[in-house]
Amino acid sequence: MRTRPLKVALLGCGVVGSEVARIMTTHADDLAARIGAPVELAGVAVRRPSKVREGIDPGLVTTDATALVKRGDIDVVVEVIGGIEPARTLITTAFEHGASVVSANKALLAQDGAALHAAAGEHGRDLYYEAAVAGAIPLIRPLRESLAGDKVNRVLGIVNGTTNFILDKMDSTGAGYQEALDEATALGYAEADPTADVEGFDAAAKAAILAGISFHTRVRLDDVYREGMTEVTAADFRSAKEMGCTIKLLAICERSADGTSVTARVHPAMIPLTHPLASVRGAYNAVFVESDAAGQLMFYGPGAGGSPTASAVLGDLVAVCRNRLNGTTGPGESAYADLTVSPMGQVVTRYHISLDVADKPGVLAQVATVFAEHGVSIDTVRQQGKDGEASLVVVTHRASDASLSGTVEALRKLDTVRGVASIMRVEGE
């Protein structure tokens, strides 16, 4: 074993960073044995140096992150500060000064992953980011390495624990959205400002990363269709149960049938109770992968939190340090396929549409005619009426998002349609 330690700079010492530092200290001997050399925490960049950080030598703490990554003797920079800047500049500076990088920064990777990979390649350094998607769940490495010889066709997953907790509570207790969100906040699953989670921004960043790796195509955050879950109601769950379904906020990445294009999207969807993702409860994450040779695979576990995310960071740290000792680098960006990223309008799926209509003869015929005129085939219809008003629930066969949008626009113009109560996609067939 080499006795000279590999030096690690830690950018950020919050929930995840402090746990990374703790594990590096308490598991130092095991890490050294697995890597083939000791690892040494050489510096910790923070915003508030006066804060007491248990187990961390105050002499290692600095507010000058730039100076830390420019030192020249740093082997690996671990970036867990999040956001776009200064993280982007610090990472590229680390490459320029000879360090490899381990990051958990999903937003930055989804927006500028190609540029970061290019910078890593230019300087012969590693960029690893297992912790950027689904916390402790090994997902990036299986897609990037274990399935490198296979053809991935679809990735369907729950990649945000906060939204899954909220939807699970709505499903299991009949609670409304706000009530479930309040409980998630009280338990620490939701931030004071939950927008990034409940509006799908967090999941969309992860979908961009997953799609890019799975399909060997550059997919940026702007390419991902995003729809939040704030409009999901208890009534939607009742309708889902009548269909033998539940509702999840899903990240879906798909290759087209002809193999020439891909799509990436995040939105609430009904999925059958028989699908493995339907049983994912609480704040857990799960990702379902479909490929030609391996078939159907499911990855499941805690998708967030200090310890789970730190576990993924440390796994990357071990891999990068091994590469460093061997004078090699791991896999970089694979975007050779360069497939077209299609817009949401071309996505084909089933739909569940709930309409408020007048309770009188001929309404169903009018509605059915509109669907037929727009080329959308109806699978089932359920109607309930009372005192001149009625609800009409239509479940379609597979149709494109564009054709469904045209159908709904035409439905709104019918005098007998009082309103469109909800529209939800049906996935996981």
Side-chain angles (χ1 to χ4, degrees), residues 207-225:
I209 295 170
L210 291 174
I213 295 171
S214 299
F215 307 131
H216 305 279
T217 293
R218 287 178 178 167
V219 180
R220 298 181 73 253
L221 181 58
D222 292 344
D223 296 320
V224 182
Y225 172 83

Side-chain angles (χ1 to χ4, degrees), residues 356-361 363 383-391 416 418:
D356 295 325
V357 299
D359 185 17
K360 62 182 185 180
V363 173
Q383 183 173 5
Q384 293 178 325
K386 185 178 180 181
D387 299 328
E389 298 295 330
S391 63
T416 52
R418 311 299 192 211

Side-chain angles (χ1 to χ4, degrees), residues 85-111:
E85 288 291 358
R88 173 170 48 198
T89 299
L90 290 170
I91 289 174
T92 55
T93 302
F95 292 141
E96 291 166 1
H97 287 78
S100 290
V101 173
V102 172
S103 176
N105 196 330
K106 55 187 170 288
L108 178 58
L109 288 159
Q111 178 171 307

Side-chain angles (χ1 to χ4, degrees), residues 24 28 41 64 77 84 132 155 163 166 242 260 278 309 322 338 342 349 359 362 380 407 416 422 427:
M24 285 184 64
L41 189 58
D64 194 343
V77 169
I84 305 302
V155 178
T163 54
I166 292 170
E242 291 175 357
T260 62
T309 306
R322 286 171 175 168
D338 194 25
S342 297
T349 187
D359 185 17
T380 62
T407 303
T416 52
S422 69
E427 300 285 347

Side-chain angles (χ1 to χ4, degrees), residues 259-350:
T260 62
S261 64
V262 299
T263 57
R265 50 197 166 103
V266 168
H267 53 72
M270 295 182 179
I271 58 172
L273 295 174
T274 53
H275 193 281
L277 291 179
S279 61
V280 178
R281 311 302 297 269
Y284 275 70
N285 284 190
V287 177
F288 201 71
V289 178
E290 300 174 11
S291 68
D292 275 2
Q296 297 180 332
L297 306 170
M298 182 163 154
F299 301 84
Y300 169 84
S307 293
T309 306
S311 171
V313 170
L314 266 296
D316 278 351
L317 179 63
V318 169
V320 170
C321 285
R322 286 171 175 168
N323 291 343
R324 191 83 169 186
L325 286 180
N326 294 327
T328 62
T329 56
E333 182 189 34
S334 175
Y336 75 90
D338 194 25
L339 301 175
T340 300
V341 183
S342 297
M344 186 63 186
Q346 296 180 21
V347 171
V348 175
T349 187
R350 295 176 67 204

Side-chain angles (χ1 to χ4, degrees), residues 196-208:
D197 294 322
V198 300
E199 293 295 352
F201 291 101
D202 175 86
K206 295 170 182 176

